[in-house]
Amino acid sequence: MNDLTGKIRSLDNLSDVQADSVAREVVAFAAGMIFSTAKTVVLTWDGTDEAWVIEHVLDQNGELLESRFSMEPEDTLGDVVDLVSPHLYRSVTDTLRIEVRR
């Protein structure tokens, strides 16, 4: 996790494009560590807080993982998303899919 912490700390010093790439990498890595079968993290834009929030974590079959776990893993991933959220690029869409590579 120290490498992850270092990546999060470096975000403020990167260009917008680099920060977006690293932020996605951080979310994907954290999801893979927290949910062993995670394949995709779907984030949605919360217009009230102007931040990304977790909508779904999906496995390889596109099945929801949240329903199979307590809230604790989701909360932990939510903390990571909160930290990197300002660095995730927002295009015209309010949905962002981050693929977890294995």
Side-chain angles (χ1 to χ4, degrees):
M1 287 297 267
N2 283 344
D3 186 42
L4 205 57
T5 303
K7 285 182 184 293
I8 292 170
R9 287 188 180 143
S10 75
L11 287 170
D12 288 331
N13 301 321
L14 299 173
S15 71
D16 289 347
V17 173
Q18 290 172 315
D20 174 74
S21 177
V22 171
R24 289 171 190 245
E25 185 183 326
V26 166
V27 171
F29 182 79
M33 295 256 313
I34 295 165
F35 297 101
S36 61
T37 59
K39 178 67 177 155
T40 309
V41 180
V42 182
L43 304 178
T44 54
W45 184 255
D46 179 0
T48 57
D49 293 334
E50 298 188 345
W52 292 100
V53 294
I54 300 170
E55 181 173 318
H56 302 299
V57 181
L58 306 172
D59 68 10
Q60 295 89 332
N61 300 317
E63 299 288 327
L64 293 177
L65 287 177
E66 294 100 328
S67 60
R68 299 184 208 160
F69 292 88
S70 69
M71 286 298 293
E72 188 176 325
E74 185 181 338
D75 288 345
T76 304
L77 183 57
D79 291 342
V80 172
V81 171
D82 287 347
L83 286 171
V84 303
S85 185
H87 303 282
L88 290 166
Y89 177 71
R90 182 168 180 246
S91 63
V92 291
T93 180
D94 286 344
T95 302
L96 178 62
R97 296 174 72 86
I98 297 176
E99 299 300 318
V100 179
R101 295 192 190 102
R102 299 214 180 276

